[in-house]
Amino acid sequence: MNVNTRQLQAFLAIARLGSFTRAAEEIFVTQAGLSLMLKDFETQVGARLFDRTTRSVSLTPAGQALLPTVRGMLADWESAMFNIDQFSAVAGQRLDLAATPLIASSVLPDWLHEFRRVQPSVQVNVSDLDRRQILQGIESGEIDLGLGAFFKPAAGIERRLLATFQMVRICSVAGYETASPQRVRRSGLGQQARWAEFSGERLLTLPTDNPIQKLVNDQLRSVNAVPVLGGGLQNIQTIIGMVEAGHGVAALPGFVVSACERYNVVIEPLIDPVVPIEYFAVTKKGRQKTELATETIDSIEKYFQRLSQIGNN
């Protein structure tokens, strides 16, 4: 049996109004269209449902037996549609956002304050995950929006560039103040540094398979800089903390600027060459973006554009 809701609505309208003309007007179909719907419905039910005369339309015994069932079916359908609408409305005001721990802890809290002033009814759930977990969550649909320095496109993932950051040198304030007078006179506090200046310094690093560290290593080789490598540290916050304590220096993307505000360190944009790092928002390819998701990405992009101006030369 292939009965649709329009046929059920037609049956109920005729039964309640006792008129094909008024029933057709109520459900916005022609009288001929209403007659065809009823005829098809009666064929599928296997019984005549109405007695028709020139003056009246009344239910047959079969129609009277069917009436409570049809009422119940339509009531259940309308209740289900209402619940789905309510669920969609709630889901439309919730967004699951994931970022790497550094950004989740140092950038998103302030951005979220700004966003909530504009969108107070929106619930944003933030997760701090590594890049691989973010991509997995996007692919599975568990995460609506991810943030990270995703160096290569991934299958099934759509990237949107938020901002471009310059690589920077991080050193301790104490180490900067005790640097050679020649360096201080030339650079000044927080001014530019050159990649070649890493030679002989203790450089705290991320694991060798980390894309950021691979980029750093490539740049050091290109200028024949030979630092004393120390690390293979997993966490950028750990590196910054170790730098503050005077255990070495670091070469990191400029998006660490906000995190560095909590530490007593000096940030110097790296030149010769200037090395850009692109930072992206990622979503599932082919998944229709809600208005909320689009507005959120726009808001994050504006925030990261401001942040990139602080971190870049």
Side-chain angles (χ1 to χ4, degrees):
M1 184 177 293
N2 186 24
V3 175
N4 58 51
T5 55
R6 289 291 282 167
Q7 290 172 333
L8 300 180
Q9 290 168 346
F11 171 75
L12 284 185
I14 298 169
R16 178 166 47 81
L17 298 171
S19 167
F20 274 72
T21 301
R22 286 186 290 165
E25 291 173 352
E26 181 172 281
I27 65 172
F28 302 105
V29 296
T30 64
Q31 191 167 337
L34 182 69
S35 295
L36 286 174
M37 278 194 288
L38 179 62
K39 182 178 180 181
D40 184 53
F41 187 41
E42 289 177 328
T43 299
Q44 295 191 65
V45 171
R48 186 166 53 86
L49 302 176
F50 292 98
D51 287 324
R52 301 173 63 178
T53 68
T54 55
R55 295 184 177 182
S56 66
V57 176
S58 59
L59 287 165
T60 64
Q64 290 175 345
L66 188 61
L67 184 60
T69 300
V70 172
R71 282 176 176 160
M73 291 171 66
L74 274 179
D76 290 343
W77 175 261
E78 290 170 0
S79 176
M81 290 299 99
F82 175 80
N83 290 336
I84 290 173
D85 287 342
Q86 292 297 104
F87 175 80
S88 298
V90 171
Q93 294 299 305
R94 168 179 169 164
L95 188 135
D96 293 307
L97 170 64
T100 50
L102 178 85
I103 297 299
S105 64
S106 64
V107 175
L108 292 187
D110 288 340
W111 166 78
L112 200 52
H113 278 304
E114 287 191 8
F115 186 72
R116 282 178 173 163
R117 282 198 293 267
V118 180
Q119 298 278 10
S121 63
V122 175
Q123 178 184 348
V124 179
N125 297 324
V126 176
S127 300
D128 55 341
L129 306 171
D130 63 36
R131 286 186 298 273
R132 188 173 305 170
Q133 291 172 317
I134 291 172
L135 292 178
Q136 290 173 346
I138 293 291
E139 290 174 355
S140 68
E142 295 176 4
I143 298 171
D144 300 309
L145 175 64
L147 304 177
F150 300 101
F151 285 72
K152 297 179 180 180
I157 299 294
E158 181 178 329
R159 297 189 303 172
R160 172 170 161 179
L161 180 64
L162 297 177
T164 301
F165 294 87
Q166 184 174 338
M167 291 294 293
V168 297
R169 178 182 183 272
I170 311 293
C171 63
S172 69
V173 169
Y176 196 94
E177 292 174 345
T178 58
S180 69
Q182 181 182 7
R183 174 178 172 77
V184 174
R185 283 199 302 270
R186 178 180 60 75
S187 295
L189 186 62
Q191 297 302 305
Q192 296 172 337
R194 291 175 170 80
W195 285 91
E197 293 169 359
F198 283 111
S199 282
E201 292 189 302
R202 178 173 173 78
L203 181 66
L204 301 176
T205 66
L206 294 162
T208 54
D209 62 348
N210 184 288
I212 294 174
Q213 191 58 48
K214 288 180 180 179
L215 184 148
V216 169
N217 293 342
D218 288 343
Q219 296 308 315
L220 293 172
R221 282 192 294 268
S222 72
V223 298
N224 298 315
V226 185
V228 178
L229 300 181
L233 297 168
Q234 298 289 333
N235 194 294
I236 290 178
Q237 288 102 320
T238 303
I239 290 179
I240 299 171
M242 295 288 281
V243 168
E244 180 189 42
H247 297 297
V249 298
L252 295 170
F255 55 71
V256 304
V257 169
S258 292
C260 286
E261 291 175 354
R262 305 176 186 178
Y263 298 86
N264 199 21
V265 295
V266 176
I267 303 166
E268 302 173 298
L270 279 162
I271 61 171
D272 294 337
V274 171
V275 179
I277 291 278
E278 295 181 325
Y279 201 86
F280 294 93
V282 292
T283 53
K284 188 171 184 178
K285 187 174 291 185
R287 182 177 182 179
Q288 185 176 2
K289 292 186 183 64
T290 64
E291 183 178 346
L292 173 59
T294 301
E295 290 177 357
T296 303
I297 295 174
D298 290 343
S299 172
I300 292 173
E301 180 178 11
K302 290 178 182 176
Y303 195 89
F304 271 85
Q305 286 290 330
R306 297 203 306 268
L307 184 63
S308 69
Q309 297 308 310
I310 299 172
N312 292 349
N313 180 33

